[in-house]
Amino acid sequence: MKKTVIAVVGPTAVGKTRLSLEIAKTFNGEVISGDSMQVFKGMDIGTAKITSHEMKGIPHYMIDIKNPDEPFSVADFQNHVQHHIDAISSRSKLPIIAGGSGLYIQGALYNYNFSEQPRDAEVTDRLERQLNRDGAGSLYNRLKITDPQQAAKIHPNNHRRVIRALEIFETTGKTMTEYQNEQVAESLYNPILIGLEMDRELLYKRINLRVDEMINAGLIEEAEYFYRQGLADYQSMKGIGYKEFIPYFKNEQTLDKSVELLKRNSRRYAKRQYTWFKNKMHVNWYEMTPETIEETFRKILRDLAGMLEEI
């Protein structure tokens, strides 16, 4: 029989962490982080990483497993998560994935084959030289022409994914979209996806407030520490919450401008998260407001109890 997996998804700052804890306590579960940035050690404030105290004794996985100077791919995430799902299930516990990294969660649940096409170092180096010479816009414009569907999913500043999509096209003659469409859509598991959504303006206010709280908690100092370690060009510093401060550390941008960009990028990321989960996966959505959180969580737990009984 297929293993049952709960996934709590949705945009940043909507309440996924709290709900995952409620589900774990109610259904004897353990939590796997579905955030692609929380794997990096020490990058705590900018990734809104759950603390040991907040875990309330619930085991959590996929947190602090990589050094910030190490790469971490979707395929790596997939392998780790599938291992934890098997291990948690073997202890008669319920695996719960909580996070907003849509491609990563989809890849783990549906076993997409990300590693079949090896990297071509020569092509990658050439594309990176072009990036440095002509700027990100030139590569992104090429991707919009060769694979417009993939370009719509990738932020223009996500250089790593833009280069990977172009590299696959150049080495195989097949676009990343074609490559992904060939994947088998059936999941390895019985996935139950619970999505949290919120009025857009209300969510944006919560995101802005969260950024202010992160700043007060020491986010700038955290980002500067890793910048001073020489990690500015590493994957870990490309994440929202860190990359916005690099121009400030270089004296190329004011602190106020960096904070403004962080809020803007976080809001835009939340919008992209909505779009991904709404278009790519079958999710049971629940509308959230600050006044109805407790009531909504009780409804979700009741609905989950019924869904689990039917499996």
Side-chain angles (χ1 to χ4, degrees), residues 97-109:
I97 303 174
S101 298
L103 175 64
Y104 284 66
I105 294 173
Q106 187 182 38
L109 291 177

Side-chain angles (χ1 to χ4, degrees), residues 119 122-143 154-164 166 170 232-234 238:
R119 301 303 297 252
E122 184 178 334
V123 174
T124 300
D125 289 345
R126 176 164 49 76
L127 291 170
E128 288 178 346
R129 287 196 301 272
Q130 182 181 344
L131 171 69
N132 294 329
R133 183 182 67 246
D134 302 331
S138 65
L139 289 186
Y140 189 70
N141 287 334
R142 279 182 58 193
L143 184 61
I154 301 175
H155 192 277
N157 291 335
N158 194 333
H159 306 153
R160 188 167 53 88
R161 287 186 61 194
V162 170
I163 287 175
R164 177 57 170 160
L166 288 172
E170 289 197 18
D233 294 324
Y234 282 78
K238 301 294 186 184

Side-chain angles (χ1 to χ4, degrees), residues 10-12 36 100-103 140 150-158 161 200 203-204 207 238-241 243-244 261-281 285:
T12 185
S36 62
S101 298
L103 175 64
Y140 189 70
Q150 198 64 216
K153 300 177 190 176
I154 301 175
H155 192 277
N157 291 335
N158 194 333
R161 287 186 61 194
R200 196 64 56 88
L203 178 65
Y204 288 170
I207 289 172
K238 301 294 186 184
I240 295 173
K243 64 182 180 181
E244 291 82 5
L261 287 175
L262 173 52
K263 291 180 177 180
R264 187 201 69 181
N265 291 344
S266 297
R267 295 191 300 267
R268 288 180 175 178
Y269 179 55
K271 185 177 180 180
R272 293 198 302 274
Q273 287 173 302
Y274 267 134
T275 301
W276 176 276
F277 288 115
K278 297 259 184 183
N279 294 340
K280 291 291 183 180
M281 307 179 79
W285 290 101

Side-chain angles (χ1 to χ4, degrees), residues 210-267:
R210 172 182 272 195
V211 169
D212 290 335
E213 291 172 344
M214 287 178 169
I215 298 296
N216 292 333
L219 174 58
I220 298 167
E221 292 79 7
E222 181 176 278
E224 185 172 13
Y225 170 79
F226 291 108
Y227 172 76
R228 299 300 175 196
Q229 298 297 308
L231 301 176
D233 294 324
Y234 282 78
Q235 177 186 347
S236 59
M237 285 291 284
K238 301 294 186 184
I240 295 173
Y242 299 94
K243 64 182 180 181
E244 291 82 5
F245 294 104
I246 293 176
Y248 167 65
F249 300 143
K250 292 180 176 180
N251 296 315
E252 297 172 353
Q253 183 172 279
T254 66
L255 178 57
D256 286 346
K257 181 62 175 179
S258 294
V259 173
E260 176 189 334
L261 287 175
L262 173 52
K263 291 180 177 180
R264 187 201 69 181
N265 291 344
S266 297
R267 295 191 300 267

Side-chain angles (χ1 to χ4, degrees), residues 160-179:
R160 188 167 53 88
R161 287 186 61 194
V162 170
I163 287 175
R164 177 57 170 160
L166 288 172
E167 178 207 336
I168 284 181
F169 179 72
E170 289 197 18
T171 55
T172 69
K174 187 185 299 184
T175 67
M176 178 74 88
T177 298
E178 291 172 322
Y179 187 64

